[in-house]
Amino acid sequence: MIKKVALVGNPNSGKTTLFNQLTGNNQYVGNWPGVTVEKKEGRIKDLQDIIVTDLPGIYSLSPYSLEEVITRNYLLDNDVDLIINIVDATNIERNLYLTTQVLEIDKPVIVALNLLDVVNKRGIKIDTEKLSKELGCPVVLLSALKNEGLDELKNVLLKEINTKRKATIFPYTLSTMKAIERTKNCIDEDNQFLALKLLDKDKIYLEEYNAFSEKINEIITIYEKETKTDSQSAIVEDRYRIIERIVEKCVDNKGYRESFTDKIDNIVMNKFLALPIFLFVMFIIYYISIVSIGDLATVFMEELFDIIGTKVGEVLASINVASWLQGLIVDGIIGGVGAVLTFIPQMFILFLLLTLLEDSGYMARIAFIMDNIFRKFGLSGKSFIPMLIGTGCTVPGIMATRTIENERDRKMTIMLTPFIPCGAKLPVFALFIGVFFGPLASVSMYLLGIVIVIIAGIILKKLKYFRSSESPFILELPDYRLPSIKNIVIIVWDRIKAFIVKAGTIIFVASAIIWFMQSYSWTLQSVNPEDSILGSIGKFIAPIFVPLGFGNWQATVAILTGIVAKENVVATFGILGGEATVLVQEIFTPISGYAFMTFILLASPCLAAIGATKKELGSWKETTLTILFQTGTAYVVSLIVYLIGLLIIKVNNWPTILISIGLVILILLAIGKSIKTKGCPKGCNSCHESCNDYKKTSR
């Protein structure tokens, strides 16, 4: 007879590693919560009649996220014969929060304390017999990574899988126990897990027991008066009080030795040093990849493509190929694609260094630091994870917003994620930095993106459509480790390959089209670029960008071609100027160049990202509004950047300055009018339609 075992635990507790050891199946093990969104199943290698299900990593059985809903539904399914709760023994207090909830389900449970080797290194001693007695279930020590303790786990599993177990009754405070009993009597069910969920205002169970809603609300009101706090907080406090008592009895930390991770985190997670250290690290990364080693390699690549272009031109001329075809191949394709490919060394070094940071565990700390900053401004901490993913490519960043369960926060994150520089924008920044600036300009692009995300987020939160309650966000901080060479090679190659493939497909075709449009007039006569199809389109639209400092037709058409793929901006400059760097020096100043970089940073992303936005938002109306919002933001911020630049260097161009100031004032007034709302007497940041005070003030 087939038996079913559910494997549940916190993210990064070693759950998936244990699953692999038990079943022999391979599965990706990552550092981010939500890696295993779907349940994975496999038979235990030497116990083929037992199927193990690897459930998503979660922190509680509250339905805050899709992962928690999937796991809870599966655990409560009557088909599950036994639950293995894997606990990170190095963070036992935090992990036992989920354990206490799992133990309140009427099913056999084994608590598997993982990372035994790390616990021993840190000098932590755990009394498993006492812990087993306190929890009311078997406890096994193991190290999933080193395959230690698995035989004991299997023996206990075989012993427990056919037993029947009653839920553990934990000693809550008198007020909580009274509320639990009242709730049980109200619904006429002797189920402590269910009673606690109803007291916890669990939406799913409240809907299911809607017939008892009035009586349950009365019980909750009495409970909250007795505890002088909301019922959810009271239950959480009670649960942690129980956990603290259990840990105090069963865990001996007297011989604790500070780990390498703790020592590093004392410095890099310091509330005063964390952000400066991050900025310094990013400065070093950009200095190495763009200014020093990367720049030398890029110069070599430029010379290489110049030689290739010259040699190919000579060969084509020697075999009497038509001049227009020579121009298309040499100036269009080699010039356009080559202008982009010259940045491969810089991209390789940059991706390599960023991947080293990711694989070592440091980038998780950055997410934690940014979460703290986001929350101070009333934004969801969960939003930064998609933005962090978006630094590689905006498309997966937008798709990663699916992990945000609050629909309004999710849509707002989709709108804001493209403001963080992606890999496609880096060649544009590298081009301008090489001509006008140093590595600080690259770091400033990231900082500017984050600042605009915060400001735009605050503005959007003021709009009724985006107001929402804050949902809890827990981020796992893995131990620091030496990066895996295999992982590094795979990730860097995937990113570089995507860059090369795009250059060989989209940019190849776009370069040919751009060359044709800059070589011929509307009547298909060969003309100078300024009088060409591209030139006429650029001249028609260029006046819009005059207040931003780059109101020339070349910059305008580069922006337009960049809608297809941001790398096309560099390709366009390469085709129009022969060499991208030469043209940039001719048509930009340092101030207008920085304003242009700002516009590229914040404007609507490429077509692929727009497609992902449409898919996630579900309508063209919302997608169009998102594109207009992003491009409008880019215009306003670029305008302000250019205006500040003019004022700093005291340019005697008062008509432009006055027009710019006027535009900024008009835009700010329009924004202020659109977000103007009556004040709420409660002073809440996130109003709800269910709030009576909200109804009064929004009439």
Side-chain angles (χ1 to χ4, degrees), residues 59 96 100 150 188 214 278 446 504 525 535 558 608 673 687:
Y59 294 97
L96 285 180
T100 56
L150 264 65
D188 196 26
E214 195 174 324
F278 169 59
Y446 276 92
Q525 299 295 314
K673 189 176 180 181
C687 294

Side-chain angles (χ1 to χ4, degrees), residues 60 92 154 163 179 225 244 256 265 317 465 595 637:
S60 76
I92 192 166
K154 289 177 189 175
T163 62
K225 281 182 180 177
E244 282 173 15
Y256 178 80
D265 278 346
Y465 181 79
V637 178

Side-chain angles (χ1 to χ4, degrees), residues 266-276:
N266 286 340
I267 300 169
V268 301
M269 297 289 285
N270 181 283
K271 65 178 181 178
F272 299 112
L273 297 176
L275 202 54

